[in-house]
Amino acid sequence: MTLEDRLPSKIKVLLADDQTMIRQGFGYVIGLQADMQLVGEASDGREAVERTAELRPDVVLMDIQMPRMSGIEAIQQIMSRWPETKTVILTTFDDQEYIYQGIRAGAVGYLLKDADVEEMLAAIRSAFRGEAIYKTGLAANALLRVAASGPAMTGADTKPPMLEPLTDREQQILQEMAYGLRNDQIAQKLVIAEGTVKSHVHRILQKFGCEDRTQVVVAALRGGMVD
């Protein structure tokens, strides 16, 4: 085994935005990171899908308003063909409808273009780990507004169908997931092992019939199961 084989693989990032300056600025910062690699750029949604097919990035930073194909439609196509790829919406607009459409399309996060560098890099790393990025300082109320745009969040009829009821511990962990905490942070807060948290998260996903944390959090918020 060579030294290169032993080194941890870098997070492969694709940057899709129709503004050249945004691609150059964010791309430069990403390229400086020891754990990231900017594998490609796209200037519209259709090119983003094509480049994803070609480069198979781990994370796509996706603008919403682009020519030829919108970022939302591009996310839908990427998720249907490469569901393992994580997409983070990159936009100027802190708008409920955009967030709602992004979640429905399969994006795991929502990042404003005026975010500082550290927030942008943290979003990429969080997305790569499969964590939802809607309960950050950038969009603390965004996911709640998305949830509120659906059915009322009170009453038994709004609760999502569950394969099994949650245990008390699973309910605790679900609440922390809604706050945007990582597994290690949940473990520290609840004073349990991180492996135990991972097991509970897996069971929560199974009980909701969801594929990722974002879907679970959205379903729980809409059903009034978390604050």
Side-chain angles (χ1 to χ4, degrees):
M1 179 181 294
T2 66
L3 176 60
E4 183 176 351
D5 293 330
R6 292 194 298 269
L7 293 175
S9 58
K10 294 186 177 183
I11 304 171
K12 295 183 294 183
V13 182
L14 173 66
L15 181 55
D17 195 291
D18 62 343
Q19 298 182 48
T20 302
M21 290 184 64
I22 292 292
R23 297 200 308 273
Q24 290 178 341
F26 279 24
Y28 174 76
V29 173
I30 292 169
L32 293 176
Q33 307 309 304
D35 61 340
M36 297 181 191
Q37 177 186 4
L38 183 67
V39 295
E41 300 178 7
S43 59
D44 60 64
R46 187 175 301 172
E47 186 180 7
V49 175
E50 294 169 353
R51 296 292 276 168
T52 298
E54 173 190 355
L55 302 169
R56 304 300 292 272
D58 299 307
V59 178
V60 180
L61 293 183
M62 182 78 74
D63 189 17
I64 292 179
Q65 294 187 338
M66 292 188 291
R68 295 209 299 168
M69 179 187 294
S70 72
I72 298 298
E73 187 177 353
I75 292 170
Q76 291 172 331
Q77 292 199 19
I78 289 170
M79 291 298 95
S80 67
R81 297 169 64 181
W82 307 284
E84 70 280 2
T85 301
K86 308 301 182 184
T87 57
V88 177
I89 293 173
L90 181 64
T91 182
T92 306
F93 307 100
D94 187 12
D95 181 88
Q96 175 182 314
E97 185 60 24
Y98 285 150
I99 302 172
Y100 175 76
Q101 292 178 6
I103 293 173
R104 292 292 299 272
V108 301
Y110 183 88
L111 184 67
L112 297 180
K113 290 182 182 180
D114 62 359
D116 63 40
V117 168
E118 290 305 317
E119 287 173 316
M120 184 265 288
L121 296 174
I124 293 173
R125 295 183 178 107
S126 294
F128 179 68
R129 292 191 295 265
E131 299 167 1
I133 320 162
Y134 292 100
K135 296 289 287 184
T136 64
L138 286 172
N141 296 319
L143 192 53
L144 290 173
R145 294 204 305 271
V146 172
S149 70
M153 293 175 60
T154 58
D157 291 341
T158 66
K159 289 183 181 285
M162 303 284 294
L163 300 179
E164 296 179 44
L166 297 179
T167 65
D168 290 343
R169 178 62 85 184
E170 288 166 351
Q171 180 63 45
Q172 278 185 306
I173 290 174
L174 177 62
Q175 180 64 70
E176 302 307 328
M177 290 166 63
Y179 290 149
L181 298 189
R182 303 189 306 268
N183 287 347
D184 60 327
Q185 293 172 322
I186 296 174
Q188 183 176 11
K189 183 173 182 178
L190 300 182
V191 196
I192 56 178
E194 184 175 351
T196 301
V197 175
K198 290 180 180 179
S199 297
H200 283 306
V201 170
H202 179 68
R203 286 290 294 154
I204 292 169
L205 292 176
Q206 288 182 322
K207 289 182 177 183
F208 273 84
C210 292
E211 296 180 357
D212 59 48
R213 297 166 74 110
T214 304
Q215 293 176 357
V216 165
V217 170
V218 171
L221 280 166
R222 285 186 175 157
M225 297 179 67
V226 292
D227 301 328

